[in-house]
């Protein structure tokens, strides 16, 4: 029997987390880990207590806005944002942690990752936002893309 690596293990958990997503366009999951312990998880969906896109439709889809553009018109909070906010809501420090994302973080999430003190990003999949990886590198965040 072969065991998955730690990165494979936590990425698989991120894939389970994304199943809770309520976004019509893209399902994303994120898991924040420190010292091999899960600190927080998040998936993309409407803020707590609000109607979800699966219930009322996608405004960005109706307006024909391409993926990666006009984030302010999206009803959902991104998975990485939700994982970071959930840790803060619970009073959990994520400084020096690793975040596992099923999709490359966008520029907004990357800025939050940097300011939250997360030191490593492991992700699958791409996102149409080249600036995102540039600022993560500039901030000294370790980036690992996995297949």
């Amino acid at each position: 029997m072969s065991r998955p690596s730690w990165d494979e293990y936590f990425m698989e958990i991120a894939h389970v987390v994304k199943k809770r997503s309520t976004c019509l366009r893209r399902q994303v999951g994120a898991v924040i880990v420190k010292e091999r312990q899960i600190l927080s998880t998040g998936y993309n969906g409407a803020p707590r207590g609000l109607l979800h896109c699966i219930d009322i439709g996608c405004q960005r889809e109706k307006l024909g806005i391409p993926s990666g553009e006009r984030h302010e018109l999206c009803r959902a909070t991104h998975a990485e944002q939700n994982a970071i906010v959930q840790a803060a809501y619970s009073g959990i420090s994520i400084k020096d942690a690793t975040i596992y994302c099923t999709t490359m973080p966008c520029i907004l999430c990357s800025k939050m990752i940097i300011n939250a003190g997360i030191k490593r990003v492991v992700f699958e999949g791409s996102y149409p936002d080249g600036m995102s990886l540039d600022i993560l590198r500039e901030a000294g965040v370790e980036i690992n893309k996995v297949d």
Side-chain angles (χ1 to χ4, degrees), residues 122-137:
V122 179
F123 71 92
E124 291 179 348
S126 61
Y127 193 76
D129 190 341
M131 193 174 163
S132 171
L133 296 181
D134 292 341
I135 70 159
L136 288 169
R137 284 188 193 100

PDB file of all heavy atoms in Angstrom, residues 122-137:
ATOM      1  N   VAL A 122       0.207  25.921  -2.519  1.00  0.00           N
ATOM      2  CA  VAL A 122       0.220  24.732  -3.371  1.00  0.00           C
ATOM      3  C   VAL A 122      -1.109  24.750  -4.125  1.00  0.00           C
ATOM      4  O   VAL A 122      -2.166  24.853  -3.512  1.00  0.00           O
ATOM      5  CB  VAL A 122       0.352  23.436  -2.536  1.00  0.00           C
ATOM      6  CG1 VAL A 122       0.343  22.210  -3.441  1.00  0.00           C
ATOM      7  CG2 VAL A 122       1.605  23.472  -1.666  1.00  0.00           C
ATOM      8  N   PHE A 123      -1.039  24.669  -5.452  1.00  0.00           N
ATOM      9  CA  PHE A 123      -2.271  24.754  -6.225  1.00  0.00           C
ATOM     10  C   PHE A 123      -2.242  23.859  -7.441  1.00  0.00           C
ATOM     11  O   PHE A 123      -1.192  23.422  -7.897  1.00  0.00           O
ATOM     12  CB  PHE A 123      -2.554  26.210  -6.643  1.00  0.00           C
ATOM     13  CG  PHE A 123      -1.623  26.736  -7.698  1.00  0.00           C
ATOM     14  CD1 PHE A 123      -1.941  26.641  -9.046  1.00  0.00           C
ATOM     15  CD2 PHE A 123      -0.429  27.338  -7.343  1.00  0.00           C
ATOM     16  CE1 PHE A 123      -1.091  27.129 -10.024  1.00  0.00           C
ATOM     17  CE2 PHE A 123       0.436  27.833  -8.310  1.00  0.00           C
ATOM     18  CZ  PHE A 123       0.100  27.729  -9.655  1.00  0.00           C
ATOM     19  N   GLU A 124      -3.447  23.571  -7.930  1.00  0.00           N
ATOM     20  CA  GLU A 124      -3.657  22.887  -9.204  1.00  0.00           C
ATOM     21  C   GLU A 124      -4.403  23.858 -10.107  1.00  0.00           C
ATOM     22  O   GLU A 124      -4.971  24.832  -9.645  1.00  0.00           O
ATOM     23  CB  GLU A 124      -4.549  21.653  -9.009  1.00  0.00           C
ATOM     24  CG  GLU A 124      -3.926  20.527  -8.255  1.00  0.00           C
ATOM     25  CD  GLU A 124      -4.897  19.366  -8.094  1.00  0.00           C
ATOM     26  OE1 GLU A 124      -6.097  19.510  -8.352  1.00  0.00           O
ATOM     27  OE2 GLU A 124      -4.430  18.319  -7.683  1.00  0.00           O
ATOM     28  N   GLY A 125      -4.447  23.548 -11.358  1.00  0.00           N
ATOM     29  CA  GLY A 125      -5.254  24.339 -12.270  1.00  0.00           C
ATOM     30  C   GLY A 125      -4.739  25.755 -12.459  1.00  0.00           C
ATOM     31  O   GLY A 125      -3.946  26.251 -11.674  1.00  0.00           O
ATOM     32  N   SER A 126      -5.208  26.384 -13.505  1.00  0.00           N
ATOM     33  CA  SER A 126      -4.765  27.737 -13.811  1.00  0.00           C
ATOM     34  C   SER A 126      -5.914  28.710 -13.594  1.00  0.00           C
ATOM     35  O   SER A 126      -7.057  28.315 -13.378  1.00  0.00           O
ATOM     36  CB  SER A 126      -4.271  27.810 -15.254  1.00  0.00           C
ATOM     37  OG  SER A 126      -5.315  27.476 -16.134  1.00  0.00           O
ATOM     38  N   TYR A 127      -5.576  29.993 -13.662  1.00  0.00           N
ATOM     39  CA  TYR A 127      -6.551  31.062 -13.556  1.00  0.00           C
ATOM     40  C   TYR A 127      -6.031  32.195 -14.423  1.00  0.00           C
ATOM     41  O   TYR A 127      -4.829  32.468 -14.404  1.00  0.00           O
ATOM     42  CB  TYR A 127      -6.691  31.510 -12.091  1.00  0.00           C
ATOM     43  CG  TYR A 127      -7.888  32.389 -11.836  1.00  0.00           C
ATOM     44  CD1 TYR A 127      -9.165  31.851 -11.763  1.00  0.00           C
ATOM     45  CD2 TYR A 127      -7.739  33.756 -11.673  1.00  0.00           C
ATOM     46  CE1 TYR A 127     -10.261  32.651 -11.533  1.00  0.00           C
ATOM     47  CE2 TYR A 127      -8.838  34.567 -11.441  1.00  0.00           C
ATOM     48  CZ  TYR A 127     -10.101  34.005 -11.364  1.00  0.00           C
ATOM     49  OH  TYR A 127     -11.191  34.809 -11.141  1.00  0.00           O
ATOM     50  N   PRO A 128      -6.881  32.869 -15.170  1.00  0.00           N
ATOM     51  CA  PRO A 128      -6.400  33.901 -16.092  1.00  0.00           C
ATOM     52  C   PRO A 128      -5.988  35.195 -15.374  1.00  0.00           C
ATOM     53  O   PRO A 128      -6.641  36.221 -15.481  1.00  0.00           O
ATOM     54  CB  PRO A 128      -7.596  34.114 -17.020  1.00  0.00           C
ATOM     55  CG  PRO A 128      -8.782  33.751 -16.190  1.00  0.00           C
ATOM     56  CD  PRO A 128      -8.318  32.652 -15.280  1.00  0.00           C
ATOM     57  N   ASP A 129      -4.904  35.117 -14.607  1.00  0.00           N
ATOM     58  CA  ASP A 129      -4.452  36.262 -13.822  1.00  0.00           C
ATOM     59  C   ASP A 129      -2.945  36.142 -13.594  1.00  0.00           C
ATOM     60  O   ASP A 129      -2.491  35.657 -12.559  1.00  0.00           O
ATOM     61  CB  ASP A 129      -5.198  36.287 -12.488  1.00  0.00           C
ATOM     62  CG  ASP A 129      -4.990  37.567 -11.703  1.00  0.00           C
ATOM     63  OD1 ASP A 129      -4.011  38.291 -11.979  1.00  0.00           O
ATOM     64  OD2 ASP A 129      -5.792  37.839 -10.807  1.00  0.00           O
ATOM     65  N   GLY A 130      -2.149  36.568 -14.577  1.00  0.00           N
ATOM     66  CA  GLY A 130      -0.699  36.441 -14.503  1.00  0.00           C
ATOM     67  C   GLY A 130      -0.054  37.244 -13.388  1.00  0.00           C
ATOM     68  O   GLY A 130       0.994  36.866 -12.866  1.00  0.00           O
ATOM     69  N   MET A 131      -0.658  38.354 -13.004  1.00  0.00           N
ATOM     70  CA  MET A 131      -0.087  39.202 -11.961  1.00  0.00           C
ATOM     71  C   MET A 131      -0.063  38.511 -10.594  1.00  0.00           C
ATOM     72  O   MET A 131       0.778  38.811  -9.753  1.00  0.00           O
ATOM     73  CB  MET A 131      -0.897  40.498 -11.884  1.00  0.00           C
ATOM     74  CG  MET A 131      -0.255  41.584 -11.092  1.00  0.00           C
ATOM     75  SD  MET A 131      -1.265  43.072 -11.283  1.00  0.00           S
ATOM     76  CE  MET A 131      -0.651  44.015  -9.933  1.00  0.00           C
ATOM     77  N   SER A 132      -0.967  37.600 -10.390  1.00  0.00           N
ATOM     78  CA  SER A 132      -1.101  36.907  -9.113  1.00  0.00           C
ATOM     79  C   SER A 132       0.200  36.218  -8.682  1.00  0.00           C
ATOM     80  O   SER A 132       0.687  36.431  -7.574  1.00  0.00           O
ATOM     81  CB  SER A 132      -2.225  35.879  -9.219  1.00  0.00           C
ATOM     82  OG  SER A 132      -2.249  35.062  -8.097  1.00  0.00           O
ATOM     83  N   LEU A 133       0.743  35.400  -9.559  1.00  0.00           N
ATOM     84  CA  LEU A 133       1.970  34.682  -9.218  1.00  0.00           C
ATOM     85  C   LEU A 133       3.155  35.630  -9.076  1.00  0.00           C
ATOM     86  O   LEU A 133       4.045  35.400  -8.251  1.00  0.00           O
ATOM     87  CB  LEU A 133       2.268  33.596 -10.249  1.00  0.00           C
ATOM     88  CG  LEU A 133       1.242  32.465 -10.333  1.00  0.00           C
ATOM     89  CD1 LEU A 133       1.659  31.440 -11.381  1.00  0.00           C
ATOM     90  CD2 LEU A 133       1.021  31.798  -8.991  1.00  0.00           C
ATOM     91  N   ASP A 134       3.153  36.702  -9.843  1.00  0.00           N
ATOM     92  CA  ASP A 134       4.230  37.694  -9.744  1.00  0.00           C
ATOM     93  C   ASP A 134       4.309  38.310  -8.354  1.00  0.00           C
ATOM     94  O   ASP A 134       5.382  38.427  -7.781  1.00  0.00           O
ATOM     95  CB  ASP A 134       4.049  38.804 -10.787  1.00  0.00           C
ATOM     96  CG  ASP A 134       4.250  38.326 -12.211  1.00  0.00           C
ATOM     97  OD1 ASP A 134       4.867  37.256 -12.408  1.00  0.00           O
ATOM     98  OD2 ASP A 134       3.784  39.030 -13.129  1.00  0.00           O
ATOM     99  N   ILE A 135       3.149  38.704  -7.801  1.00  0.00           N
ATOM    100  CA  ILE A 135       3.218  39.336  -6.479  1.00  0.00           C
ATOM    101  C   ILE A 135       3.503  38.331  -5.375  1.00  0.00           C
ATOM    102  O   ILE A 135       4.147  38.672  -4.388  1.00  0.00           O
ATOM    103  CB  ILE A 135       1.977  40.196  -6.156  1.00  0.00           C
ATOM    104  CG1 ILE A 135       0.743  39.349  -5.926  1.00  0.00           C
ATOM    105  CG2 ILE A 135       1.733  41.246  -7.209  1.00  0.00           C
ATOM    106  CD1 ILE A 135      -0.331  40.080  -5.142  1.00  0.00           C
ATOM    107  N   LEU A 136       3.061  37.092  -5.545  1.00  0.00           N
ATOM    108  CA  LEU A 136       3.408  36.066  -4.555  1.00  0.00           C
ATOM    109  C   LEU A 136       4.926  35.856  -4.523  1.00  0.00           C
ATOM    110  O   LEU A 136       5.533  35.806  -3.447  1.00  0.00           O
ATOM    111  CB  LEU A 136       2.690  34.750  -4.857  1.00  0.00           C
ATOM    112  CG  LEU A 136       1.189  34.714  -4.584  1.00  0.00           C
ATOM    113  CD1 LEU A 136       0.573  33.454  -5.165  1.00  0.00           C
ATOM    114  CD2 LEU A 136       0.897  34.832  -3.095  1.00  0.00           C
ATOM    115  N   ARG A 137       5.519  35.767  -5.704  1.00  0.00           N
ATOM    116  CA  ARG A 137       6.982  35.610  -5.788  1.00  0.00           C
ATOM    117  C   ARG A 137       7.696  36.812  -5.186  1.00  0.00           C
ATOM    118  O   ARG A 137       8.653  36.678  -4.423  1.00  0.00           O
ATOM    119  CB  ARG A 137       7.416  35.418  -7.234  1.00  0.00           C
ATOM    120  CG  ARG A 137       7.143  34.051  -7.778  1.00  0.00           C
ATOM    121  CD  ARG A 137       7.774  33.846  -9.167  1.00  0.00           C
ATOM    122  NE  ARG A 137       7.235  32.648  -9.760  1.00  0.00           N
ATOM    123  CZ  ARG A 137       6.268  32.611 -10.678  1.00  0.00           C
ATOM    124  NH1 ARG A 137       5.739  33.724 -11.131  1.00  0.00           N
ATOM    125  NH2 ARG A 137       5.840  31.472 -11.157  1.00  0.00           N
TER     126      ARG A 137
END
